[in-house]
Amino acid sequence: MILLAILAPLAAMLIQMAISRAREYLADAAGAQISRKPWALADALEKLERGATALPMDANPSTAHMFIVNPLRGSSLLNLFSTHPPVEQRVARLRAMRIA
């Protein structure tokens, strides 16, 4: 019972983060459909990522989901709990899009 009490919140958090990452991809795709310029959005994401890397923010982890790119930097283990997918993957998906 104690093990379940420990693992249940962890599992819920992982599911919440996975849903949040999926919503980021959907938001990127919707933005590409609206603007009809997925390459421009990919370039903007890369620029935002460079800015976040050059000038790291002292962001509270509870507000990280409100940023376009992940304001928190940490180990790869912390990325497991990140609400943001890696920018490289988001950019790759945008660059692979074909808008008719």
Side-chain angles (χ1 to χ4, degrees):
M1 195 64 146
I2 293 173
L3 183 62
L4 183 62
I6 293 170
L7 291 180
L10 183 62
M13 189 175 9
L14 288 174
I15 291 169
Q16 180 183 9
M17 299 305 162
I19 291 170
S20 182
R21 283 185 234 119
R23 293 176 83 190
E24 287 281 338
Y25 288 129
L26 289 173
D28 291 343
Q33 289 291 331
I34 291 169
S35 71
R36 310 199 64 67
K37 298 178 182 179
W39 282 72
L41 291 177
D43 290 343
L45 272 176
E46 288 175 329
K47 188 180 283 189
L48 287 169
E49 178 68 13
R50 284 192 305 272
T53 302
L55 295 169
M57 298 183 72
D58 187 24
N60 186 329
S62 64
T63 62
H65 67 281
M66 292 193 255
F67 290 82
I68 295 172
V69 295
N70 191 0
L72 307 174
R73 303 289 175 220
S75 68
S76 59
L77 180 60
L78 291 178
N79 289 339
L80 179 65
F81 299 102
S82 174
T83 57
H84 294 74
V87 170
E88 298 82 24
Q89 289 180 3
R90 293 173 68 188
V91 166
R93 284 183 179 213
L94 284 169
R95 293 201 191 282
M97 288 184 76
R98 302 284 183 247
I99 304 293

